[in-house]
Amino acid sequence: MKFARCRVFLLLLCALACALPAESPSAASPPANLTISNQSSYDLLNIRFRQGRSMYFVRLDMAPGARDDIENPGVTADLRVDTGLAFWFFKAVPLNQARRLTFCGEHAACLILEQVNKISRHLSGTVQSLLPEELSRPVCTLDQFRPGMAMSDVCSLLDPDPPRDDNDAVLTSLGFAGMVWAARLAPGQPSPDDHRLNGHDRLGHLELRRELTVSTLDSLLRTLYAQGYVPWQAELPGLDMNFTEMTDLDTAKQKDILRQTLHYFLQSGRGEATVMLAPAAMLPALADADAPQRDVQLFTLTLRQSSRTLVVDVAAYQGGEGGR
């Protein structure tokens, strides 16, 4: 009798299991981590995930060919991918079903979603360029940029609610060296001695981006040289140069050495290079001092071959106080 009761109980359990629907992949718990793979030809700076009114950023700083793991939000969200020169938008991406996002190189805003069930989906997004048309007028110019200036003085034509990146930098366009650049106006840190302004009211530094070409680089250097700037330091693959140590060469020869070296570098098609420029009149003092004694602007140029991007970082310093 006991055996018969057990048999009936097992049959009931089997019938109940068959009656319940199997758990679908979407109902299962999403993977804890989400792999981001950059197979595009662009830099991926950050991703903004947005679901309804909730949104948050994940910084990537990912060059072409790189990959990384981030925490999986586990929701269906709209994505805004910041490439430095453009935004890519993807609608309603089911991250709760995803284990990998691969940004592919077929065209801009191309995304392959690899799901937990090993099925892949190809998603196409939309592109919003952060560079206006070549003949468009820039929002404002760099002429008035100075150390410690208020953000409200940077450009009176900024939108009242402009787009921002994950560092809260304002994204806009600026004219410089006869070209229009995708610009980021980064707010500075609040000064403990100045209670009138908070950190978001002051401009910390700004960053400019354009496609890397020989003509763009040459035009930029000519403009900086015309403003009294000279090469200070340069770092290239396998080569570091400090122009303050080239005491036997005049400034014209130093500029020519830099130009030829950068052209050879661009012809190689690989690697990354940085160049720092400073005002000629202040270079000897800057080379020997821990902090500038007078207000100064410094330009740092980054040449990224993998994404063909020219990045110009403009930092303004107040004399004796370091970076602002």
Side-chain angles (χ1 to χ4, degrees), residues 67 79 87 105 144 152-153 160 171 175 225 236 243 245 313:
R67 53 177 285 181
L79 272 57
F87 285 147
Q144 302 302 315
S152 59
D153 295 334
L171 305 180
Y225 293 158
L236 297 94
F243 292 89
E245 298 175 353
D313 187 89

Side-chain angles (χ1 to χ4, degrees), residues 29-197:
S29 298
N33 292 326
L34 182 65
T35 298
I36 306 294
S37 178
N38 184 14
Q39 299 304 316
S40 75
S41 58
Y42 303 90
D43 292 327
L44 302 184
L45 304 187
N46 61 67
I47 298 181
R48 185 190 71 183
F49 299 93
R50 184 166 192 167
Q51 185 190 41
R53 295 184 178 181
S54 301
M55 65 179 180
Y56 67 96
F57 292 89
V58 173
R59 188 180 304 181
L60 299 175
D61 293 327
M62 188 177 293
R67 53 177 285 181
D68 198 2
D69 290 338
I70 66 172
E71 183 179 354
N72 192 338
V75 296
T76 296
D78 296 334
L79 272 57
R80 189 191 78 179
V81 182
D82 186 351
T83 72
L85 297 176
F87 285 147
W88 297 345
F89 294 95
F90 299 91
K91 287 287 190 181
V93 179
L95 302 174
N96 55 335
Q97 303 177 26
R99 62 185 183 91
R100 180 195 296 264
L101 300 180
T102 300
F103 295 92
C104 44
E106 296 179 4
H107 52 79
C110 167
L111 176 62
I112 298 175
L113 174 72
E114 297 183 36
Q115 301 179 156
V116 292
N117 58 9
K118 299 183 179 181
I119 295 177
S120 296
R121 296 173 54 188
H122 188 284
L123 307 177
S124 295
T126 58
V127 179
Q128 175 188 336
S129 177
L130 296 176
L131 284 171
E133 298 294 332
E134 287 295 328
L135 299 180
S136 300
R137 295 181 59 187
V139 174
C140 51
T141 66
L142 284 179
D143 298 340
Q144 302 302 315
F145 181 49
R146 61 188 181 277
M149 72 184 302
M151 286 286 282
S152 59
D153 295 334
V154 176
C155 179
S156 61
L157 299 180
L158 283 178
D159 295 334
D161 187 22
R164 296 176 181 268
D165 68 6
D166 62 323
N167 290 319
D168 207 31
V170 174
L171 305 180
T172 183
S173 62
L174 287 176
F176 186 61
M179 296 171 285
V180 181
W181 303 72
R184 291 163 194 266
L185 311 179
Q189 297 299 318
S191 170
D193 301 326
D194 192 346
H195 303 290
R196 296 170 301 169
L197 299 175

Side-chain angles (χ1 to χ4, degrees), residues 256-279:
D256 187 57
I257 290 175
L258 178 62
R259 180 186 64 83
Q260 293 189 46
T261 303
L262 292 179
H263 281 203
Y264 288 139
F265 166 74
L266 292 177
Q267 290 174 8
S268 73
R270 300 188 304 273
E272 181 171 309
T274 59
V275 181
M276 181 176 286
L277 298 101

